Amino acid sequence: MVHIEKIQSRADTNVLTRWFDFASLSPLGLAGLVLVAVLPVIPPFNQDYLIRWMVVGLFMAAQAVAFDFTGGFINIVNFGFAAFVGLGAYTSAILAVNLGVSPWLGIWLGLIPAGGIGFLTGILTLRLRGIYAAVMAWFIGLALMGLATKLVFLTQGPLGLNCPTLFKTAGNLPYFYLIFIMFLVIYFVLQKLARSHMGLAFRGIGQNMEAARASGVNPTRYRIINFTLSCAFAGWLGGFYAHYYGILMPDIMHTAKTVEVLVIVYIGGRGSLWGGALVAIPFVFATEMVRSIFSQHPGVNLIFYGLFLMLIMIHYPGGVAEFYRHLIGRSNNRTLLWLVNK
């Protein structure tokens, strides 16, 4: 009887393990997501300004996952990333203001031009290598920002384009759960791709392009697919940004916005997808507190970015993800290994 119970217990554990593998999650990761989901209703985090910080944190987390899909897998740093976020934002906002398109539809339509321009950018730039591809992506981002600034009849330029919000309420809670769902969609789609044969090709290209080509992988094709997906999700998130804040200005496309995402990705651990997502909310909280404390000294947060990034690069170049793998690799505790799905 005891033997049968042991077999049943092992079978149940195997079913759970297979489910977590399918969901691209660990039990610890699931617990973390549940904690984030209930955090806005737990004091003191139920205060509206803290919920707003969490909305921004999840927005940054979703951007970090999309950015890391390119930077961490095919080893191309998309310095024009923020411009694709802005492209999706302006598309959705202009459709809502000029054509009366519902913002709920507009955020999806914003995905199309961002993905399309991302595809064309990939064709133009991803035949190049290393810094040349990154710089070309940056130039295209600057061009998009220039268009947003100069096409005043369409975008209102520096004056700002007012657009309708997604919810009539002034509270942040509905936006929190919306961006939480969007984050989950982006994370699970890209994580499933990363664990597929396509993800293996991405990693192979990022680590050694010539070896990947010798194995029958077409580097240009896979890099374009990767870049297009990343840009499309950036545009989708841009639609959320437009109808969350209700006003758009060209500085959403500024390279500084890309750098913020880049810092989060590198602190979290490039190539992990989950690393940047893990540190995004604490990072936003820390940044907002620094801005509040040093409100008379704008730009101090940039010093904070630089110092923190230098410390991470010196001690743990792989970021939080490397530190996590280092700790887990030294553990023989079965319960802990199950919690992290090892």
Side-chain angles (χ1 to χ4, degrees):
M1 187 69 176
V2 174
H3 182 64
I4 292 173
E5 289 177 354
K6 285 183 178 179
I7 292 173
Q8 183 63 42
S9 176
R10 287 177 184 172
D12 292 342
T13 302
N14 288 336
V15 169
L16 280 173
T17 301
R18 284 197 295 270
W19 185 87
F20 284 120
D21 283 338
F22 174 77
S24 301
L25 267 179
S26 66
L28 195 60
L30 178 61
L33 290 176
V34 171
L35 176 62
V36 170
V38 301
L39 208 55
V41 296
I42 301 174
F45 297 101
N46 59 348
Q47 299 177 69
D48 200 56
Y49 81 96
L50 290 178
I51 296 175
R52 180 178 64 81
W53 288 6
M54 286 187 276
V55 171
V56 176
L58 282 171
F59 178 69
M60 296 300 289
Q63 286 187 92
V65 173
F67 183 90
D68 192 28
F69 190 63
T70 295
F73 283 77
I74 62 172
N75 203 25
I76 298 293
V77 178
N78 180 8
F79 280 111
F81 184 82
F84 291 97
V85 175
L87 179 59
Y90 272 108
T91 299
S92 184
I94 289 168
L95 288 173
V97 172
N98 294 342
L99 299 179
V101 175
S102 166
W104 291 99
L105 176 60
I107 61 174
W108 288 97
L109 294 176
L111 180 153
I112 298 171
I117 299 297
F119 174 76
L120 294 175
T121 303
I123 292 175
L124 290 172
T125 67
L126 296 183
R127 296 178 186 277
L128 305 173
R129 297 195 183 188
I131 191 65
Y132 300 104
V135 168
M136 276 294 291
W138 178 41
F139 288 164
I140 289 172
L142 292 175
L144 289 172
M145 183 178 170
L147 288 172
T149 304
K150 297 301 181 183
L151 297 177
V152 179
F153 71 95
L154 195 61
T155 66
Q156 302 301 310
L159 299 175
L161 177 63
N162 291 300
C163 58
T165 55
L166 288 164
F167 299 101
K168 300 303 180 184
T169 177
N172 287 285
L173 194 60
Y175 292 99
F176 172 85
Y177 285 108
L178 176 59
I179 191 61
F180 183 61
I181 291 169
M182 292 175 73
F183 162 73
L184 291 178
V185 170
I186 292 171
Y187 177 79
F188 287 125
V189 168
L190 296 186
Q191 188 68 268
K192 292 300 287 185
L193 283 172
R195 294 190 175 194
S196 68
H197 72 279
M198 190 176 288
L200 188 63
F202 292 151
R203 287 190 184 276
I205 292 166
Q207 292 170 6
N208 190 323
M209 189 185 297
E210 295 306 325
R213 182 180 281 112
S215 301
V217 173
N218 184 333
T220 302
R221 177 190 171 204
Y222 279 98
R223 290 169 107 194
I224 290 172
I225 291 170
N226 181 295
F227 199 82
T228 302
L229 284 170
S230 176
C231 292
F233 279 128
W236 191 40
L237 290 168
F240 170 84
Y241 179 97
H243 301 295
Y244 173 56
Y245 287 101
I247 186 167
L248 277 179
M249 296 173 68
D251 64 357
I252 184 183
M253 296 179 163
H254 199 282
T255 307
K257 300 294 184 182
T258 299
V259 172
E260 290 181 8
V261 179
L262 183 147
V263 169
I264 290 173
V265 169
Y266 274 74
I267 291 172
R270 199 173 64 144
S272 64
L273 291 185
W274 61 264
L278 178 67
V279 305
I281 292 179
F283 184 84
V284 167
F285 270 61
T287 302
E288 292 295 336
M289 285 189 283
V290 168
R291 282 177 179 162
S292 299
I293 295 168
F294 298 99
S295 58
Q296 302 300 317
H297 304 282
V300 170
N301 59 304
L302 298 176
I303 299 173
F304 170 73
Y305 294 162
L307 289 174
F308 205 69
L309 191 57
M310 282 191 291
L311 287 172
I312 290 289
M313 291 297 100
I314 291 168
H315 296 287
Y316 279 96
V320 171
E322 182 185 339
F323 180 68
Y324 162 85
R325 286 190 289 266
H326 177 70
L327 287 180
I328 297 303
R330 298 173 60 182
S331 175
N332 293 318
N333 186 300
R334 287 187 176 182
T335 303
L336 178 60
L337 293 175
W338 181 79
L339 283 172
V340 298
N341 206 19
K342 291 290 183 180

